């Protein structure tokens, strides 16, 4: 058997600290063989093209300090998780780049004389010991594929991902929990959307302008047998608490 802990969108520094606390405690308790980060680990608001949608973009000197602050905040957030992984002696670590993470690479494309702000360098993936997987790529363990997720949208995004890829897949991006199953020539297949670790409170998501959102804090534990079959458990964080293999963990 081999066990992985899989985490969806954290959007540091807009994360839920209590959910991150639960995750770190779960890592130390479960002691997984590997860790998979599904991306959008940072919000990266300083590099967001949406920020200047309705106004003129200022000079680089004006907004570079915000990007520098983003780098510091995201590294600080990742440090918490890596500390727990070190305590659990987890050596195998994977980082799958998300669409928010892409913004840092787009920034470097615009300002190629600032390569230190490219995503991989900015969050020190090599130094941290992560294997980096590019945006949009599937990373396969056994019979399950992992990636960040795409804008296949609507109420039935799990079903849409399953239909488009035609394989077992676990992803983030949508911030909710959703599972879809289907048949295939090799047997049943499934798609799993595993929530987020972002702060889901209305106060931290004012852009919704009061509209209700269905986001939930969660992460996954996935066990694999020798044949590559997988057994996923989605751990939902509710009321700042979660049950992991029957044990209560509080944030």
């Amino acid at each position: 058997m081999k066990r992985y802990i899989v985490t969806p969108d954290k959007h540091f520094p807009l994360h839920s600290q209590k959910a991150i606390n639960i995750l770190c405690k779960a890592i130390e308790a479960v002691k997984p063989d590997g860790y998979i980060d599904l991306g959008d680990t940072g919000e990266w608001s300083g590099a967001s093209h949406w920020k200047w949608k309705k106004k003129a973009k200022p000079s680089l000197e004006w907004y570079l300090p915000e990007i520098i602050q983003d780098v510091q905040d995201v590294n600080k957030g990742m440090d918490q998780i890596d500390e727990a992984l070190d305590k659990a002696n987890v050596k195998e670590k994977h980082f799958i780049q998300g669409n928010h993470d892409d913004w840092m690479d787009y920034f470097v494309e615009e300002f190629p004389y600032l390569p230190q702000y490219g995503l991989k360098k900015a969050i020190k993936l090599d130094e941290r010991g992560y294997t980096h997987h590019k945006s949009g790529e599937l990373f396969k363990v056994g019979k399950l594929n992992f990636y960040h997720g795409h804008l296949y949208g609507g109420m039935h995004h799990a079903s849409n991902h399953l239909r488009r890829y035609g394989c077992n897949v676990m992803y983030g991006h949508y911030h909710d929990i959703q599972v879809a199953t289907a048949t295939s020539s090799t047997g049943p297949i499934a798609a799993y959307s595993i929530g987020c670790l972002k702060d889901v409170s209305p106060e931290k998501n004012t852009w919704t302008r009061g509209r209700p959102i269905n986001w939930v804090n969660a992460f996954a534990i996935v066990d694999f047998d020798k044949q590559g079959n997988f057994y996923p458990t989605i751990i939902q964080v509710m009321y700042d608490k979660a049950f992991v293999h029957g044990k209560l963990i509080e944030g």
Side-chain angles (χ1 to χ4, degrees):
M1 299 291 289
K2 198 168 186 180
R3 176 171 291 161
Y4 289 82
I5 283 187
V6 187
T7 61
D9 310 40
K10 290 159 283 294
H11 291 269
F12 292 120
L14 305 183
H15 60 291
S16 166
Q17 185 58 53
K18 291 183 178 179
I20 295 296
N21 292 344
I22 290 171
L23 167 66
C24 291
K25 291 178 182 179
I27 290 171
E28 294 180 40
V30 171
K31 293 180 172 55
D33 300 287
Y35 172 72
I36 300 172
D37 187 324
L38 294 180
D40 277 8
T41 294
E43 175 70 15
W44 303 118
S45 59
S48 171
H49 58 284
W50 296 107
K51 190 168 186 175
W52 315 111
K53 185 177 180 180
K54 295 183 179 181
K55 49 190 172 183
K57 191 174 182 178
S59 63
L60 173 63
E61 292 79 7
W62 193 87
Y63 66 94
L64 182 59
E66 184 176 354
I67 289 178
I68 294 172
Q69 185 64 54
D70 285 345
V71 171
Q72 294 173 352
D73 289 339
V74 176
N75 276 285
K76 183 178 178 181
M78 291 187 70
D79 287 345
Q80 298 180 67
I81 298 173
D82 280 342
E83 182 179 355
L85 292 169
D86 288 342
K87 289 180 180 178
N89 197 33
V90 177
K91 302 299 183 183
E92 183 184 350
K93 301 191 288 186
H94 298 270
F95 185 95
I96 300 171
Q97 192 160 324
N99 59 297
H100 277 246
D101 305 316
D102 287 342
W103 295 348
M104 293 298 282
D105 287 342
Y106 298 156
F107 172 78
V108 172
E109 288 179 10
E110 185 177 358
F111 302 101
Y113 50 86
L114 295 173
Q116 67 270 33
Y117 296 110
L119 190 278
K120 190 176 178 182
K121 289 184 178 180
I123 58 176
K124 302 179 285 188
L125 288 180
D126 289 340
E127 295 174 40
R128 294 179 183 277
Y130 283 80
T131 299
H132 176 237
H133 303 274
K134 294 180 181 179
S135 179
E137 293 182 351
L138 296 179
F139 166 56
K140 190 174 184 180
V141 179
K143 298 178 182 179
L144 178 60
N145 295 276
F146 299 90
Y147 88 124
H148 176 67
H150 279 128
L151 289 173
Y152 296 143
M155 293 176 59
H156 309 293
H157 53 83
S159 178
N160 288 335
H161 277 72
L162 193 59
R163 177 174 55 84
R164 287 174 179 261
Y165 280 93
C167 62
N168 296 306
V169 62
M170 180 173 285
Y171 62 97
H173 189 61
Y174 282 87
H175 299 186
D176 65 355
I177 294 175
Q178 193 174 117
V179 178
T181 58
T183 57
S184 74
S185 60
T186 58
I189 54 176
Y192 305 86
S193 171
I194 62 167
C196 69
L197 293 169
K198 184 180 181 181
D199 188 327
V200 299
S201 67
E203 294 78 16
K204 292 297 180 69
N205 295 280
T206 55
W207 60 273
T208 64
R209 298 180 181 179
R211 297 190 302 271
I213 53 178
N214 65 337
W215 299 351
V216 291
N217 289 149
F219 57 94
I221 299 173
V222 186
D223 290 297
F224 293 85
D225 63 23
K226 291 182 179 180
Q227 289 73 42
N229 300 312
F230 61 95
Y231 308 86
T233 303
I234 297 177
I235 307 297
Q236 186 170 349
V237 177
M238 299 182 67
Y239 313 111
D240 302 325
K241 302 174 184 177
F243 279 88
V244 178
H245 294 168
K247 181 181 178 181
L248 175 65
I249 298 180
E250 299 189 63

